[in-house]
Amino acid sequence: MALNSKSIRRLLADVHRGKLSPDDAVEKLRHLPFEDLGFAKVDHHRHLRVGMPEVVFSPGKTPAQVAEIFKRLAMHAPNVLATRASAEQFRAVKRSVRGVHFESSARAIVLQRDEQQYGRGKISVISAGTSDIPVAEEAALTAELMGNAVARIYDVGVAGIHRLLAHRKAISQSRVAIVCAGMEGALPSVVGGLVGIPVIAVPTSVGYGASFQGLAALLGMMNSCASNVSVVNIDNGFGAGYVASLINRL
Amino acid sequence: MALNSKSIRRLLADVHRGKLSPDDAVEKLRHLPFEDLGFAKVDHHRHLRVGMPEVVFSPGKTPAQVAEIFKRLAMHAPNVLATRASAEQFRAVKRSVRGVHFESSARAIVLQRDEQQYGRGKISVISAGTSDIPVAEEAALTAELMGNAVARIYDVGVAGIHRLLAHRKAISQSRVAIVCAGMEGALPSVVGGLVGIPVIAVPTSVGYGASFQGLAALLGMMNSCASNVSVVNIDNGFGAGYVASLINRL
Amino acid sequence: MALNSKSIRRLLADVHRGKLSPDDAVEKLRHLPFEDLGFAKVDHHRHLRVGMPEVVFSPGKTPAQVAEIFKRLAMHAPNVLATRASAEQFRAVKRSVRGVHFESSARAIVLQRDEQQYGRGKISVISAGTSDIPVAEEAALTAELMGNAVARIYDVGVAGIHRLLAHRKAISQSRVAIVCAGMEGALPSVVGGLVGIPVIAVPTSVGYGASFQGLAALLGMMNSCASNVSVVNIDNGFGAGYVASLINRL
Amino acid sequence: MALNSKSIRRLLADVHRGKLSPDDAVEKLRHLPFEDLGFAKVDHHRHLRVGMPEVVFSPGKTPAQVAEIFKRLAMHAPNVLATRASAEQFRAVKRSVRGVHFESSARAIVLQRDEQQYGRGKISVISAGTSDIPVAEEAALTAELMGNAVARIYDVGVAGIHRLLAHRKAISQSRVAIVCAGMEGALPSVVGGLVGIPVIAVPTSVGYGASFQGLAALLGMMNSCASNVSVVNIDNGFGAGYVASLINRL
Amino acid sequence: MALNSKSIRRLLADVHRGKLSPDDAVEKLRHLPFEDLGFAKVDHHRHLRVGMPEVVFSPGKTPAQVAEIFKRLAMHAPNVLATRASAEQFRAVKRSVRGVHFESSARAIVLQRDEQQYGRGKISVISAGTSDIPVAEEAALTAELMGNAVARIYDVGVAGIHRLLAHRKAISQSRVAIVCAGMEGALPSVVGGLVGIPVIAVPTSVGYGASFQGLAALLGMMNSCASNVSVVNIDNGFGAGYVASLINRL
Amino acid sequence: MALNSKSIRRLLADVHRGKLSPDDAVEKLRHLPFEDLGFAKVDHHRHLRVGMPEVVFSPGKTPAQVAEIFKRLAMHAPNVLATRASAEQFRAVKRSVRGVHFESSARAIVLQRDEQQYGRGKISVISAGTSDIPVAEEAALTAELMGNAVARIYDVGVAGIHRLLAHRKAISQSRVAIVCAGMEGALPSVVGGLVGIPVIAVPTSVGYGASFQGLAALLGMMNSCASNVSVVNIDNGFGAGYVASLINRL
Amino acid sequence: MALNSKSIRRLLADVHRGKLSPDDAVEKLRHLPFEDLGFAKVDHHRHLRVGMPEVVFSPGKTPAQVAEIFKRLAMHAPNVLATRASAEQFRAVKRSVRGVHFESSARAIVLQRDEQQYGRGKISVISAGTSDIPVAEEAALTAELMGNAVARIYDVGVAGIHRLLAHRKAISQSRVAIVCAGMEGALPSVVGGLVGIPVIAVPTSVGYGASFQGLAALLGMMNSCASNVSVVNIDNGFGAGYVASLINRL
Amino acid sequence: MALNSKSIRRLLADVHRGKLSPDDAVEKLRHLPFEDLGFAKVDHHRHLRVGMPEVVFSPGKTPAQVAEIFKRLAMHAPNVLATRASAEQFRAVKRSVRGVHFESSARAIVLQRDEQQYGRGKISVISAGTSDIPVAEEAALTAELMGNAVARIYDVGVAGIHRLLAHRKAISQSRVAIVCAGMEGALPSVVGGLVGIPVIAVPTSVGYGASFQGLAALLGMMNSCASNVSVVNIDNGFGAGYVASLINRL
């Protein structure tokens, strides 16, 4: 925040000292500094504002675009993450940025130079089935990259409730839980009823037929009868990891 | 079935004896006997075919129509049921049929003259919340009217999973379970995972917002990760009671 | 939790001392204590488990049912809340429970005997328009009842973005923000981009035509391009207040 | 069930004999035994609980994952089934498990070492059209693997009602019927009206345009005017076979 | 209006004087002139163009508006129909137009001064249930008003297929059939398979839950596996009667 | 029909003459003759009943299945049509059946040995845009194969209404019109308003975005303000051609 | 704009002259002036920014709230409009603000003190049917209140295309057209094809069944094959009038 | 074609000889003649009527069809555009038409021989994210081809509102703005609130999960709380560019 305040103060000091006319200052004040790559405004100050690394959502971008954005961000932020990345996008980034690696289970390109723990407790990442793991891994990886200890609890869906109950203690010792489930999306309600911590629910597109690509799970989670549940987009492991990290820093 | 077979055989005997021409027989054979009230074909043979009482779905019918249909059915079937009935429709039926009563919790007009137990075991009727009780009661009443012992287990939704677990033994001693739930509709999956009996799931329209009048619960139940679950229409307590009764007679 | 652990330990001690056979213990261990009102399982242990007051969702319950449940809960929990309550339901509760009052702007029946502050910081409750206020008030009241300081910032929708910007500092000094918006539901994204705290988004059913009773706002919020946003059900002010309270206690 | 009861009793006996402290027992009692493969909890006790073989839902799993899960399950359960399997997944399983074969019409990997008949009667599996056969075959194979006699009655859709009527007797001699239909999904209603047995309806994704991948059939079946119909997910032949098998064992 | 009359008179004078052949005049009369009431263009020539009476769709119009439009139409067309009319709208029309009556079963205001039979054969109007009768009656009345013989066959839904089969001969002797059904909307497929005539399907809003106000029936009918079925809007008895009348005149 | 009546009469004559017992006759009368291929009931009598050739819907069938069904049908019916066929399916049919050809614009395999004109007038087939032509061609081909004269009027969509008006006379001289349109699906309403003949509307999946694969066009056509419009499934050119052919034979 | 620029410049001048510290200026610059009524931020500067009167959307506000907001706005803006207002809301406003009147056909409370013509040409407001007039009137009134000449062309729907063609010249002489239509919503496409001016399409909720409260019309208009069409929300006459007014001022 | 040229020549000769005023000739030229290519009516006069070049929507057309239509249009119109074109379609056009080029960022085939500026001001084209650029480029290119100056402002989505605010001045100096956004589609509301010019909103299919291919963005934009926003179809950059061009010519 220092940098930001500093530059604004410098500008106003310039007005104060008469080096800048009020009119010019009006115009300048509207501009927070960001760099223009032509196809994307790289917003270095988002880092300042929210205290988190920048993230690239990879689908629909060419490998060259991902690499260029990733490189610029890596000049300013210690940790950078590209989600839903392909191997091809990773190879392009690897050629431009030193120290990146690819987490295939989470389909993510990762640059982690700051390994400090910012979270004050543990985050549980829970998945209903084996097929939900890629989304859960995206959430877990995001949380780890943002400086959190993560407990992974996978394949504990509601049709075998005893499997979940075995982990009740571990979950309740976390400060926040992420629950990923497709099909009927019932797991967040059950977890929410078992523990008194905030639960971030992630509907996944796992299922077929009347799951309608995750709509059934999304609607189920929106209607959770447990009051400690809030929901992010279908398959949005990153968002869940991000929200949970913010909560765990409090 | 005897009656039916008898009349058909008599017809063919008439052909055999030359009392009826083959041409006339062709036409007659297409007609199973039913009575014509003008506005509704009363199908007495449905009773013969499926071994169950006739049911009147009351909404959209005038009290007079409900009463007329009910009366005719009561001439042939020992037990008659009118679902989703209003008090006004009940009063009309009461004027025409002796021995009927009104079950307000299940919104049903009931005539039960055959109280024999046809079911071979018990049917559990389970509801997630207090608001689901009217639908659950419709299911329970239907099952009782069709000659079954019913165990009612209400308000055991998934957000307090221990409440359900306390009833596990009772449920698993039933031959079939009916599970009514609104909101996210997760209860049938959990029940289905706990016990090895067939589970009939009934989504209810209980909820608000993204429950979309029961659509969320319906989709959730269709996508149940428990394999022993099948589903009937939103709020269709009668259908669930009917299917469960058929199963319990096997 | 003490009580719960105590009773389980006592049971096992009984086994240890030979007062209880292993077989009887197996059965008893499955039962967590709760009281049975017939139409609703009142779950006093939920209080123990999650450290929050019990809540009654009033729609679809008779005034007598609301009053009965409220009274029982009030015997065990210091604070009790009935949401979406009618004046009639309030009058029934008032006859049974001393000290309740009705918050008409939030349509809530409130019993607050524990006024301790449990939250460690402030919760901002933000609404896009005047018509979203009832939902925002339900969220704010819930948070206050659960021991939080609340800052209300109303009518700062995105079509006049400067109105929101004027409150940026206040919002960023909160530990968590609740944002209620109907129509296009864009406000949480903008708030999420302005501040680095967790944002709980509440779609409201405010709007007409293609808002489809809040579906447009819900979908918008699910797709938020701000990473710190998670979402609760349409009009679910209570849920948002509850989640925010849990977060603020961390 | 013996094994399960035994191990719990042994634990409590240990408490009784003072070999285990009550505190340690509390913790252990929460754990029902299951084996942890890392990516999937293999739940051998599901077999004990529901008396049916374990099933692998193959889509979204790598051949290696399917093979590993299949192999573990085959160590405990006599019969194992992998549904919606690819030829590639089959080859991986075949390398690990002796005695499996691939049923291409049902897209299933099958291990059947227990060929006992558990069902007390026959299950009719009925399909509306030729294109519905893969789903019907999945249902039929599931039922056979679970020890049932199956009667296949295919291509008897409602637009040629006499084709169905020719099979009426065969169907009514079954204890339960499975009816698979795409497009308008009308066949279960007609079958349900013809016979007095439970009918499990399976909407299929067969169709085009306004069939919306099976939604039209699903909605049609949910609204069946025949009371003996309940419904499983679109294309869920396995679920239908499973439910029917449970019913046929009663 | 004067101008309009004048131009028609001039045209007819031209025919009179042999300047215009009658054939050419018919063609010219089909083009363009209409009267302007301010709030509605009354299109008298629609009658000439399509050879059918004008129809008023009553909902959303005041009684005075219905009466005014009805009166104007009655000056030019022998038969006039107001559909979905209320008793109040009827009273307003009755004050302005002599000879109208109200068909309450079809919710229609009727003026029939031309009773000639234009249809060359019979139209069957078939309903699945008692609750579908109002829609069926609107269709039947429309067809009768347009000069057709109508056979009403009601309450012959697919769950009791023998009731329908009893009417097969009558239906196949019609030139066209109208089939009204709610719930799963399966009846048109079955009728379409039984007879070789065009079938106009009318989904009705009869049903509940997943019928979604007739959407399930509409989708079912759109996906009919019978090739001789086409569909009109939900509850659109008038449209079905109109299309069937056009076909029966061919 | 002769054959059918004959065989039934022969059966009854056998009863009359004592050659067949009434009991055996009961059973036989339930069976209308059809041939069983195992995977599909080939229904030769559909030809007798509806007076039209049999049609194979090709998607989801193997080339061998299409060929086998096509060959069997070709033994009994003079004209056979396979819709939505691939070139590969055609090659398989060609090897089995003499005289077939492939209409690539309509994606159809055609066998036409009966070229008699059964239609009494002309059928207009109208398309809104160039991209709708494959569906329109399927309709036109079906109508021609069923013995009708067809007038093709393509690319006359509503955004250039004068293009349609230029064809008004030709359309009004047809006995029935088929109108194929994607996107907003407005053309059938305009055609329906221009001419007094029955209009069969075919929504097509042409479009993008909010066309939702033809849903927008389908809903538009269902809500047509022209009363002479009925609708078939999205892209169902065959159904439209079939219905129009039935109408044109009247 | 003068006022706004002036106050900002004054602030910066204060910094320049040392009367205000840079730090305080930073904070103040973030605040654009608006007045706080507690339940609604009245944004007087919106008037400055967009050059249009403020509008109150009345549903969901109490008469007192509407009156209070209306009064405040009337202190700053010459013209004020409350849409979808009830008579009761009007009476409350009338008590507080002099010179208002109620336009019942448009359901609007109107204060028009500035009657200057700002529009440079004419705006055509076109409706498909009589039932669409309230929405069309809201659009027309909005445009008039914002200083435009309006031509009303009502009841010219596509099923009688000649009625529309008669107005072609009038429409093409406008600078922009608003087209209101329910049911299939086809009119904007036809108008868009006839004239070369921008067309603002307003779907209305007029219709029944598959119109789904205007969804069919909305989707139809979104998919318009005419390129000069853009769309506002269902029944949003005000929005259409507003956009058209902005265009007409250019 | 000859005939067509002839009639135009005759008309122009009439003007030449003073038999027809130029004004009347303009009006006549707008009516009706077009050329028939068999598979598409090429409407050369659309150019005259709306003053814009013809456009080919490429998907679903063969390269040969695109080339043929493009060539014919290029004989009459100076500028021709093929949208959503593939490289293969471009190659076919290039062989037939001189001077075309391919804009890969906008997926468009372009022929621009008339480079005159018809627009009276500037059009801002704004995109929320990098992935929305293809749609934005289609809009920008369309506007440029139709003679407008375009300002591109990309990647200024609402989650970093300061990036947008930096461009406020530039946008407000345009006469009309096009705003392309996927995901929650909130950007048009914010832009609409910032500036007083007409805003054309383009929902894009950018997003995943609950974006449902652009439905979330579309619904959001339809419900915009800014009154100066109207909407075109998902991904319809061309339509937006076209409408904006019409407005900018006024």
Side-chain angles (χ1 to χ4, degrees), chain H residues 123-126 171 174-179 191 195 197-201 244:
Chain H
I123 296 174
S124 284
V125 178
I126 303 166
I171 301 169
S174 310
R175 295 184 93 228
V176 54
I178 293 166
V179 184
V191 171
V195 296
I197 59 173
V199 171
I200 314 296

Side-chain angles (χ1 to χ4, degrees), chain C residues 158-159 161 165 183-184 186 189-190 193-194 208 210-212 216 219-220 222-226, chain H residues 158-159 161 165 183-184 186 189-190 193-194 208 210-212 216 219-220 222-226:
Chain C
V158 297
I161 202 74
L165 296 177
M183 301 172 80
E184 79 269 65
S189 289
V190 178
L194 285 179
Y208 62 92
S211 98
F212 295 120
L219 291 180
M222 294 306 306
N223 287 285
S224 177
C225 52
Chain H
V158 298
I161 201 73
L165 295 177
M183 300 173 81
E184 79 270 64
S189 290
V190 178
L194 285 178
Y208 61 90
S211 97
F212 296 120
L219 290 181
M222 294 305 308
N223 286 285
S224 176
C225 53

